[in-house]
Amino acid sequence: MRETISSEHYITILGQFVSTQLALEDRPKIEWFMQDGARPHRTENVFLFLDEYFGNRVIALDYPKFTGTGMDCPPYSPDLTPCDYFLRGALKDTVYGNHPSTLDELESAICVACNSISVETLKDVMSNFILRIRHLIFSNGQHFESIVF
């Protein structure tokens, strides 16, 4: 998506996500939906959409203040998802190493960098993700900073 993400664009993306999830017959049931605190994610229309589809099963900044349900996104929460703890860092040097100067060059560099990640690396990343989730479960959702992944 080349446009700036507005709340309207974000609701469109959320709608596509929800409709895809509902269409999958063998889909896992979504227990909770979590989003970060980006400004387009914290508008009245977005919160109304989330409330309609996820109700009190939302973790998001300011969501409880608006709806009275859900859970506020914890400050300084650990990077649990592979996109947070792996992908961003893995792509950064490769993508920006050639100093792309146009959106087309940037998009091409991102595609090349993503395609260069080996299957073995992706398996390691997913193993690490499972380990992170296990630590989260073991700590009963509490903070655990002394663990090195």
Side-chain angles (χ1 to χ4, degrees):
M1 182 176 257
R2 290 180 176 231
E3 309 86 47
T4 300
I5 300 292
S6 65
S7 62
E8 292 79 21
H9 283 122
Y10 186 58
I11 290 171
T12 300
I13 293 167
L14 288 173
Q16 292 168 348
F17 170 76
V18 167
S19 64
T20 300
Q21 291 296 309
L22 294 174
L24 297 174
E25 292 180 15
D26 61 344
R27 71 181 169 93
K29 183 180 177 195
I30 298 173
E31 295 296 327
W32 286 82
F33 181 84
M34 183 174 185
Q35 68 180 19
D36 64 17
R39 288 184 195 263
H41 299 178
R42 298 184 351 241
T43 66
E44 180 177 353
N45 289 339
V46 169
F47 287 155
L48 288 171
F49 181 94
L50 294 175
D51 188 53
E52 180 181 345
Y53 287 97
F54 302 104
N56 67 344
R57 299 177 330 271
V58 174
I59 302 170
L61 187 62
D62 294 334
Y63 186 76
K65 293 175 192 164
F66 180 81
T67 64
T69 66
M71 184 183 299
D72 221 354
C73 192
Y76 311 111
S77 60
D79 292 331
L80 290 175
T81 67
C83 287
D84 286 336
Y85 72 81
F86 167 74
L87 191 60
R88 198 173 289 138
L91 299 182
K92 184 178 173 187
D93 292 338
T94 305
V95 169
Y96 291 106
N98 292 328
H99 308 289
S101 58
T102 66
L103 280 177
D104 288 335
E105 289 175 4
L106 178 62
E107 186 176 303
S108 176
I110 291 170
C111 289
V112 167
C114 286
N115 288 331
S116 71
I117 301 170
S118 72
V119 172
E120 206 51 47
T121 297
L122 293 175
K123 286 179 183 178
D124 290 344
V125 168
M126 293 315 296
S127 293
N128 189 278
F129 176 63
I130 292 168
L131 179 65
R132 288 167 185 259
I133 296 299
R134 286 184 177 156
H135 278 284
L136 182 65
I137 292 168
F138 181 75
S139 71
N140 199 28
Q142 299 299 312
H143 186 70
F144 54 89
E145 72 178 44
S146 61
I147 297 171
V148 177
F149 293 101

